[in-house]
Amino acid sequence: MAAVVLAATRLLRGSRAWGRSRLRFRALGDRQFSSGGAYPSVPLSAPLPGVPTPVFATADGQEKFETKVTTLDNGLRVASQSKFGQFCTVGVLINSGSRYEAKYLSGIAHFLEKLAFSSTDRFDSKDSILLTLEKHGGICDCQASRDTTMYAVSADSKGLDTVVGLLADVVLHPRLTEEEIEMARMAVQFELEDLSMRPDPEPLLTEMIHEAAYRENTVGLHRFCPAENIAKIDRDVLHSYLRNYYTPDRMVLAGVGIEHDHLVECARKYLLGARPAWGSGAAVDVDRSVAQYTGGVVKEADFIPFAVLNMMMGGGGSFSAGGPGKGMFTRLYLNVLNRHHWMYNATAYHHSYEDTGLLCIHASADPRQVREMVEIITKEFILMGGTVDVVELERAKTQLMSMLMMNLEARPVIFEDVGRQVLATRSRKLPHELCALIRDVRPEDIRRVASKMLRGKPAVAALGDLSDLPSYEHIQAALSSRDGRLPRTYRLFR
């Protein structure tokens, strides 16, 4: 009985408290002014005294998103893109990378990526660089790909002069001390070991498919430093490479979220006439080779419990950088391949370079279903050369434009897009221009490009349990047939 009385007392006490809070809420709702202690008599419709006037973005109906490009006297290109906000992203993109290492030890670009933002003539250590950036809320990064090396900084726009000066010092005046090179060796060694142990085989497959598609030339050269070259790369080797490829005519200073004239002024101050650490001698040994697509197969047995396959078609002018047709293939294949539920993974994508490109289908499945997986891929390649479903094509266009616009909402992505386009073509197509090109793609364009693509040899990379993988000759025969079917095989013993 006592427990029931206690519960009823608590319930009543709670209801009375709720009633008081409801009355209190009604009283507050009747007040005309803010209840803040600091400004008791200022209405909510008026700005608080002492608070800075907010600055809002304005639109006057004119196009203000064009990319401005200026070429300096030494050949350096300065590109900028306006974007509202307090922060900016600025960086230097260089036409260099592993594709230019034919006459050098493989792995130099990989080393330079690890050595980036180390000590320079003005900064004693990486910590000094990071402390300088910290004053402007900045972060830095360096990425080296097969054809581009990119040094980038995101920071407050007010620190643009400091950021450009720092970038110029990092790119043109690195000390490359023996201690830093030894640390880079350790970092490269660790990354190679990590690649071989990580469960995701994508980086290894990307290396393998490029090796198969371009045998020992340009983009087919290894992006990662081979283990046998780690101890061979030293300061003299690095300076020899930098002298040929880190020249102003192969560079773009790109910025997003800044005034173009201010960026050009900083470029003239820090990058025009600057003498690099390796000397100002003319480049004498620049590799100007054009990518030669060869096709072929690279496979590696592995103990992973599934088989992963990358199959590519392409090469030559039909898949050169900048063409929107490749995206059409990517979206169409993705829509079709995802119908096969037993595949662990089925995606389609492409690699674009200045002089070549590759369309790739990446798929993985149980080792017992490898043959069926390969046949599905070959059938889809063949179907692209036939009748293209108009509904699927329109869906692919919509998906591609949506992906393009969503990616370009981020400032670092805009920066990379500006820099890479200006580096490759000396200008930049704006998003609405790219969308117009995508809308103009017709079914006959898909058939034309697919037919030309299928006349070449495929490139195949496979990793895992490959006991049931069809031979390269059978894959090639399937891609030359009408229906994409693999030749039938018969076994005397099961």
Side-chain angles (χ1 to χ4, degrees), residues 9-29:
T9 304
R10 288 178 176 174
L11 182 60
L12 290 172
R13 187 181 302 159
S15 65
R16 286 197 299 270
W18 180 84
R20 285 198 302 271
S21 65
R22 183 172 58 177
L23 291 173
R24 209 164 36 239
F25 176 77
R26 184 181 298 118
L28 287 174

Side-chain angles (χ1 to χ4, degrees), residues 134-202:
E134 191 176 295
K135 297 176 182 177
H136 302 283
I139 56 174
C140 60
D141 188 26
C142 177
Q143 296 179 6
S145 62
R146 284 182 157 77
D147 58 350
T148 307
T149 303
M150 179 174 61
Y151 299 80
V153 172
S154 289
D156 193 303
S157 302
K158 296 177 182 177
L160 179 63
D161 187 273
T162 301
V163 167
V164 175
L166 185 149
L167 282 168
D169 223 41
V170 166
V171 174
L172 298 177
H173 304 104
R175 286 183 178 176
L176 302 181
T177 64
E178 186 56 43
E179 180 182 0
E180 290 170 345
I181 293 176
E182 187 59 37
M183 291 293 293
R185 290 192 181 108
M186 295 172 63
V188 169
Q189 180 68 43
F190 173 81
E191 187 167 352
L192 294 179
E193 294 174 356
D194 180 64
L195 282 173
S196 61
M197 293 187 296
R198 67 169 58 182
D200 178 21
E202 183 64 29

Side-chain angles (χ1 to χ4, degrees), residues 198-220:
R198 67 169 58 182
D200 178 21
E202 183 64 29
L204 287 177
L205 277 170
T206 301
E207 288 296 298
M208 293 168 64
I209 198 65
H210 279 82
E211 182 183 352
Y214 302 90
R215 289 282 183 176
E216 300 179 359
N217 79 89
T218 58
V219 294

Side-chain angles (χ1 to χ4, degrees), residues 27-316:
L28 287 174
D30 294 337
R31 294 187 61 178
Q32 299 295 321
F33 304 107
S34 169
S35 61
Y39 305 102
S41 60
V42 178
L44 296 177
S45 58
L48 296 176
V51 177
T53 303
V55 179
F56 299 102
T58 58
D60 55 7
Q62 298 180 0
E63 178 64 54
K64 287 194 174 182
F65 297 101
E66 70 273 12
T67 301
K68 298 181 180 179
V69 181
T70 299
T71 303
L72 303 186
D73 295 339
N74 60 355
L76 175 75
R77 282 155 284 171
V78 182
S80 71
Q81 176 74 52
S82 61
K83 183 175 175 63
F84 182 81
Q86 179 182 353
F87 284 81
C88 66
T89 299
V90 186
V92 177
L93 293 91
I94 307 167
N95 195 4
S96 70
S98 58
R99 71 168 294 167
Y100 300 106
E101 294 174 359
K103 301 177 182 178
Y104 293 89
L105 289 170
S106 180
I108 293 177
H110 193 187
F111 259 74
L112 291 173
E113 180 184 60
K114 302 303 177 188
L115 288 164
F117 294 98
S118 297
S119 65
T120 67
D121 289 350
R122 289 199 299 126
F123 299 95
D124 294 334
S125 65
K126 178 174 287 189
D127 289 340
S128 300
I129 292 176
L130 297 179
L131 286 172
T132 302
L133 290 176
E134 191 176 295
K135 297 176 182 177
H136 302 283
I139 56 174
C140 60
D141 188 26
C142 177
Q143 296 179 6
S145 62
R146 284 182 157 77
D147 58 350
T148 307
T149 303
M150 179 174 61
Y151 299 80
V153 172
S154 289
D156 193 303
S157 302
K158 296 177 182 177
L160 179 63
D161 187 273
T162 301
V163 167
V164 175
L166 185 149
L167 282 168
D169 223 41
V170 166
V171 174
L172 298 177
H173 304 104
R175 286 183 178 176
L176 302 181
T177 64
E178 186 56 43
E179 180 182 0
E180 290 170 345
I181 293 176
E182 187 59 37
M183 291 293 293
R185 290 192 181 108
M186 295 172 63
V188 169
Q189 180 68 43
F190 173 81
E191 187 167 352
L192 294 179
E193 294 174 356
D194 180 64
L195 282 173
S196 61
M197 293 187 296
R198 67 169 58 182
D200 178 21
E202 183 64 29
L204 287 177
L205 277 170
T206 301
E207 288 296 298
M208 293 168 64
I209 198 65
H210 279 82
E211 182 183 352
Y214 302 90
R215 289 282 183 176
E216 300 179 359
N217 79 89
T218 58
V219 294
L221 300 177
H222 291 287
R223 189 173 76 84
F224 298 106
C225 180
E228 61 271 16
N229 288 350
I230 293 178
K232 299 176 183 178
I233 296 178
D234 56 19
R235 192 169 187 265
D236 292 337
V237 172
L238 295 172
H239 272 191
S240 175
Y241 180 87
L242 292 169
R243 187 176 297 110
N244 286 315
Y245 294 102
Y246 276 44
T247 56
D249 58 301
R250 301 176 67 88
M251 294 183 183
V252 170
L253 174 65
V256 175
I258 50 180
E259 292 293 331
H260 183 73
D261 292 340
H262 192 188
L263 184 61
V264 172
E265 179 186 344
C266 293
R268 294 184 188 277
K269 180 179 178 180
Y270 294 107
L271 291 165
L272 184 61
R275 178 182 173 85
W278 46 88
S280 56
V284 296
D285 203 17
V286 177
D287 183 12
R288 305 186 188 279
S289 302
V290 177
Q292 301 295 321
Y293 180 84
T294 61
V297 60
V298 174
K299 53 186 179 179
E300 182 179 331
D302 200 291
F303 293 105
I304 56 177
F306 54 91
V308 192
L309 178 74
N310 268 15
M311 188 180 298
M312 284 186 174
M313 300 295 297

